[in-house]
Amino acid sequence: EVQLLESGGGFVQPGGSLRLSCAASGFTFSRYAMSWVRQAPGKGLEWVSSINNDGSSTYYADSVKVRFTISRDNSRNTLYLQMDSLRAEDTALYYCAKDPVGTMVVGYFDPWGQGTLVTVSS
Amino acid sequence: DIQMTQSPSSLSASVGDRLTITCRASHNIARYLNWYQQRPGKAPNLLIHAASTLQSGVPSRFSGSGSGTDFTLTISSLQPEDSASYFCQQSNSIPWTFGQGTKVEIK
């Protein structure tokens, strides 16, 4: 069974940084693209970033470009999201999601982890 | 960016009812349209990809149709466990974008 377990969320002041992790199991992690999608409290879904299977290609929403960095460690079966210069509008539940197809990013997501909450506030 | 617009934003229906949710894209996305179900307090779950391909394990009462800019998600006979929010999402071009969601309540 595929499992995705996010961690690293928390409370941070504007301008601060956080690093999210997503531990994957139940599949060959190095063979699949991965993504981060977020959901502000009571709001809809917003794609944040995606990475192909070997980390050579990364993609970002304009709202986080330059501030966020996606990466992966295939030896540790772990996906990361480094978030710098955080803003109040980054407050959200951050989901890690697997690409259902394979090595390249195809832009849809299955399955999703349970999410880790990031709160940016002074 | 491609804007995705769902309608209605919410609806209330009875068990056994046939339900249709509409999603419209601001540009032609061919059949690169996906549907997700999100139950309260849970992560989204992929129901349909490529406009009409049902994910493994998803009940056959769910179906999707459409191409270009207009798409529909249909639940043929609403069940209590279908109480959830439903989101469409385009995977035609980055940035991948979602509709605002449709909240389905059971009367």
Side-chain angles (χ1 to χ4, degrees):
Chain A
E1 179 191 4
V2 172
Q3 290 197 335
L4 301 170
L5 184 61
E6 302 95 335
S7 61
F11 188 95
V12 62
Q13 292 188 334
S17 297
L18 277 177
R19 188 198 200 196
L20 307 184
S21 299
C22 172
S25 61
F27 66 103
T28 306
F29 182 70
S30 62
R31 293 184 181 175
Y32 289 89
M34 298 290 294
S35 296
W36 290 97
V37 179
R38 68 185 180 183
Q39 187 170 33
K43 302 296 184 183
L45 299 164
E46 180 187 16
W47 169 74
V48 173
S49 183
S50 296
I51 187 169
N52 72 339
N53 70 307
D54 64 7
S56 60
S57 296
T58 58
Y59 310 88
Y60 298 93
D62 284 347
S63 58
V64 307
K65 202 172 289 184
V66 175
R67 301 187 300 121
F68 289 11
T69 303
I70 192 172
S71 63
R72 62 192 296 159
D73 185 339
N74 286 345
S75 67
R76 296 177 182 269
N77 291 342
T78 303
L79 176 72
Y80 301 101
L81 186 68
Q82 177 66 41
M83 304 188 296
D84 298 321
S85 304
L86 283 161
R87 305 167 180 167
E89 54 264 36
D90 295 318
T91 293
L93 188 62
Y94 283 74
Y95 293 103
C96 158
K98 174 182 169 290
D99 187 299
V101 176
T103 59
M104 294 176 63
V105 171
V106 293
Y108 63 103
F109 318 108
D110 180 55
W112 302 48
Q114 288 305 302
T116 186
L117 183 62
V118 172
T119 303
V120 185
S121 176
S122 54
Chain B
D1 297 3
I2 297 175
Q3 308 302 316
M4 307 300 294
T5 303
Q6 286 181 236
S7 61
S9 296
S10 65
L11 64 89
S12 181
S14 300
V15 172
D17 283 353
R18 182 181 181 89
L19 208 59
T20 298
I21 298 170
T22 297
C23 180
R24 176 164 289 177
S26 61
H27 298 79
N28 186 338
I29 58 170
R31 292 177 60 82
Y32 292 99
L33 191 283
N34 314 296
W35 290 98
Y36 300 85
Q37 177 193 64
Q38 186 177 32
R39 294 190 174 109
K42 299 296 186 182
N45 179 48
L46 180 66
L47 296 176
I48 288 169
H49 73 273
S52 62
T53 302
L54 206 64
Q55 281 299 102
S56 174
V58 174
S60 58
R61 63 179 180 274
F62 291 93
S63 64
S65 65
S67 65
T69 60
D70 294 312
F71 302 86
T72 59
L73 172 70
T74 299
I75 307 175
S76 61
S77 178
L78 192 65
Q79 299 301 304
E81 60 267 30
D82 300 336
S83 178
S85 291
Y86 294 85
F87 296 90
C88 64
Q89 179 243 334
Q90 64 83 17
S91 51
N92 179 76
S93 61
I94 288 175
W96 321 123
T97 48
F98 293 83
Q100 80 278 16
T102 296
K103 187 174 183 179
V104 174
E105 294 182 336
I106 309 295
K107 287 181 183 174

